Amino acid sequence: MITSSDIAKILDKYDTRKLAIGTLGSHSSLNIFKGAKEEGFRTVCICKEKDAIMYKKFPLADEMIFVKDFTELLSETLQEKLRKLNVILIPHGSFTAYLSTEQLTDSLYVPMFGNRALLHWEANRKEQEEWLRKAGLRLPATFKSPDEIDRLVIAKLPGAKGGRGYFLANSPESFRRKFSEMVARGLLSEDDVGRVHLQEYALGVNVYPSYFSSIINDDVELLAMDRRYESAVDSMGKIPASEQLEIGVNPTYTIVGNFPIVLRESLLPELMRMGDNVHKKAQELAPPGIIGPFCLETVITDDLKIYTFEISARIVAGTNVGIGTSPYAYLKYGENMYMGRRIALELKEALRQKRLNEVAV
Ligand code: AMP
Ligand code: AMP
C-alpha cells in the first residue's frame, strides 16, 4: 500500500508553480478539466485515440497522453511522464471501473486528490455497509442467500457496471429463474451466483446528492444533485404492462445520462447531516476522512424516508449536470462553481497554505 509519506516525497520533487491536473479521458474529465483551467491549472488527459475528438471539439486538455487501455496508467513509463508534468490525478468512475482497488492503492505512484485508504472501504460491499450504518444512515436490508428472499429485492454484481446484469426478484424461485435468464442472455455467468448481492428494493425515487469534503476548510458542502437516466428501466413505462408480460422484460440499469434535481427544501437538513456524518465516520476509519467529492446514492420513499444504497467516495458523473452552475453550488458560491472547479479551488488553496500533502495523497 502506497502511503502518504511515499507521495509526500514525490510532491517534494514537484515544481508546484507548474502543477497540473490530470485524469483519464472519460466519465467527468471535461468537468474536471474545465474547472482546472478556470482556476489557472494546466491539464493532462490520458486518453484513448478514438476519444481524442472530444478534446478537439472541447479544447480543455493542454497535454494529451495516448494509451490503448486505461490499465497503462500502471506502467512505470507513464507514471514517470505524469510526475515530470507535476500531475495531481483526479480519480473518477473510470478509475474504479477499469482498475482494481489494489492497483490504485499499491501501484499508482502519482499524487491523487482523494483518500486511497478509503478506496478499500468503498470497494468492499460489507465494509461500505458498515461505514454507512455506523454513520447513522438508513440502508435497505440485505439477504445472505437467495433462500432468504421474502420481499422484493434487487440483485447486484459487485463493481461499477452501470447496473448491467442487475435484476429484481421477490422469492427464491423467482431469483433462480431470473438468474438463469440473465445467464442465457449472456449478462451474467454461472459463477456469478455466489457474488450476487441481494438488497431490499426500496420503492421510491432516486436522488444522488453530491458533496465536497474540504480538508482545508474543515467542512462538507452540498454542491449538486442529480438522478440517472437508465436503459432499459427508464423506457419500460413506454410499453404497456400486457406487452411487458408477453416479452418477459427484465429491467436493466445501464447508465446513459443524468438529470439535475432540486429537492423539496425540507429534505435538505437531513441530507446535510448525512453528508457530515459519513465524513465524520470516515475520519475514524481512514484519517483524514473523505478528501474532496463524494456522492450518496439514495432512494426517497413516499413516507419521505431516505434510504442510502451506496456511496462513491470520488467525483460522480452526475455532477456533470452542474458544469457551469448548479442551484446548490450557486447558493454558496454564486455563479460558475461546480465540482470540477471546486476540486481545482481546493488544490489552489492547499498550495497557497502549503498543505498540498494533506489533500494529494
Ligand atoms: P465509462 O468510462 O463511461 O465507462 O465510465 C466508467 C464507469 O462510471 C461506468 O462503468 C459507469 O458505471 C460510471 N458512469 C459513467 N458515466 C456515468 C454517469 N453519467 N452517471 C453515473 N455513472 C456513470
Ligand atoms: P447502482 O449501480 O448501485 O448505482 O444501481 C443502479 C440502479 O439500481 C439505481 O439507479 C437504482 O435505481 C437501482 N437501485 C439500486 N439499489 C436499489 C435499492 N436498494 N432499491 C431500489 N433501487 C435500487
Side-chain angles (χ1 to χ4, degrees):
M1 169 108 174
I2 299 169
T3 63
S4 45
S5 68
D6 296 330
I7 298 295
K9 280 183 207 136
I10 297 174
L11 279 176
D12 277 346
K13 295 196 197 122
Y14 268 27
D15 181 349
T16 49
R17 287 162 311 174
K18 291 188 185 153
L19 205 65
I21 284 182
T23 199
L24 298 176
S26 189
H27 189 269
S28 46
S29 66
L30 297 170
N31 186 348
I32 292 166
F33 291 147
K34 182 69 182 172
K37 294 202 75 77
E38 290 204 88
E39 291 300 329
F41 287 101
R42 284 183 62 73
T43 55
V44 177
C45 179
I46 303 138
C47 182
K48 293 183 194 155
E49 214 128 20
K50 69 175 175 56
D51 300 328
I53 181 171
M54 200 158 71
Y55 307 96
K56 275 216 185 85
K57 302 278 185 188
F58 298 125
L60 297 168
D62 296 313
E63 198 85 44
M64 300 281 283
I65 300 177
F66 290 110
V67 292
K68 288 214 167 55
D69 194 284
F70 285 149
T71 54
E72 277 181 49
L73 189 56
L74 300 170
S75 87
E76 177 47 33
T77 330
L78 181 51
Q79 293 186 14
E80 179 57 21
K81 205 184 244 176
L82 293 173
R83 291 191 295 261
K84 282 236 166 70
L85 289 166
N86 307 292
V87 165
I88 308 280
L89 284 174
I90 314 297
H92 56 52
S94 307
F95 284 68
T96 40
Y98 305 114
L99 301 169
S100 71
T101 310
E102 288 69 34
Q103 288 171 332
L104 292 170
T105 55
D106 302 349
S107 311
L108 189 54
Y109 283 91
V110 181
M112 227 168 66
F113 182 72
N115 186 346
R116 281 178 213 243
L118 265 184
L119 273 172
H120 163 75
W121 284 86
E122 186 194 334
N124 180 306
R125 277 210 193 269
K126 280 219 173 66
E127 301 196 347
Q128 185 182 117
E129 254 189 66
E130 187 188 331
W131 170 14
L132 298 178
R133 277 193 210 284
K134 283 189 171 158
L137 270 51
R138 181 182 288 110
L139 271 64
T142 54
F143 298 86
K144 286 201 182 67
S145 130
D147 297 324
E148 291 175 10
I149 298 174
D150 63 356
R151 65 192 92 170
L152 190 60
V153 300
I154 179 162
K156 304 179 172 186
L157 267 190
K161 291 204 167 183
R164 247 180 98 77
Y166 287 8
F167 61 93
L168 302 180
N170 63 3
S171 66
E173 299 71 44
S174 82
F175 173 87
R176 277 186 263 281
R177 183 165 40 79
K178 299 264 181 79
F179 184 82
S180 307
E181 271 170 37
M182 298 304 267
V183 173
R185 288 170 60 192
L187 290 171
L188 294 179
S189 77
E190 287 291 352
D191 309 339
D192 287 328
V193 74
R195 300 164 59 221
V196 179
H197 179 72
L198 300 169
Q199 202 173 62
E200 171 185 15
Y201 188 85
L203 189 61
V205 294
N206 283 124
V207 176
Y208 293 73
S210 271
Y211 304 84
F212 187 88
S213 166
S214 168
I215 298 297
I216 299 300
N217 299 341
D218 190 20
D219 193 18
V220 174
E221 304 164 10
L222 178 68
L223 269 198
M225 217 176 289
D226 75 289
R227 76 177 175 93
R228 297 179 173 181
Y229 199 33
E230 293 163 332
S231 205
V233 71
D234 285 324
S235 59
M236 282 174 51
K238 294 182 189 167
I239 314 177
S242 53
E243 314 292 321
Q244 291 185 24
L245 288 174
E246 231 164 74
I247 58 175
V249 260
N250 213 345
T252 50
Y253 302 84
T254 304
I255 184 75
V256 176
N258 312 75
F259 302 96
I261 292 190
V262 276
L263 206 66
R264 183 167 168 175
E265 197 172 291
S266 51
L267 287 164
L268 289 182
E270 186 177 349
L271 275 192
M272 288 167 172
R273 279 189 291 271
M274 287 163 60
D276 283 357
N277 290 339
V278 165
H279 172 56
K280 227 177 265 164
K281 194 38 75 183
Q283 284 175 313
E284 289 170 27
L285 299 175
I290 304 176
I291 299 173
F294 68 103
C295 175
L296 296 177
E297 313 195 349
T298 76
V299 171
I300 307 186
T301 58
D302 60 0
D303 53 358
L304 298 181
K305 289 206 171 80
I306 305 177
Y307 285 87
T308 304
F309 58 87
E310 205 158 324
I311 183 171
S312 297
R314 49 156 175 88
I315 185 170
V316 298
T319 62
N320 294 347
V321 301
I323 295 175
T325 301
S326 84
Y328 297 109
Y330 181 86
L331 290 169
K332 187 164 169 78
Y333 289 99
E335 281 179 16
N336 207 17
M337 185 53 70
Y338 47 94
M339 198 57 89
R341 186 166 188 179
R342 184 64 189 86
I343 293 169
L345 185 65
E346 184 84 350
L347 283 169
K348 204 159 116 180
E349 190 54 27
L351 201 56
R352 200 183 64 80
Q353 296 187 20
K354 300 198 173 9
R355 296 171 64 189
L356 196 57
N357 60 346
E358 291 178 45
V359 296
V361 294

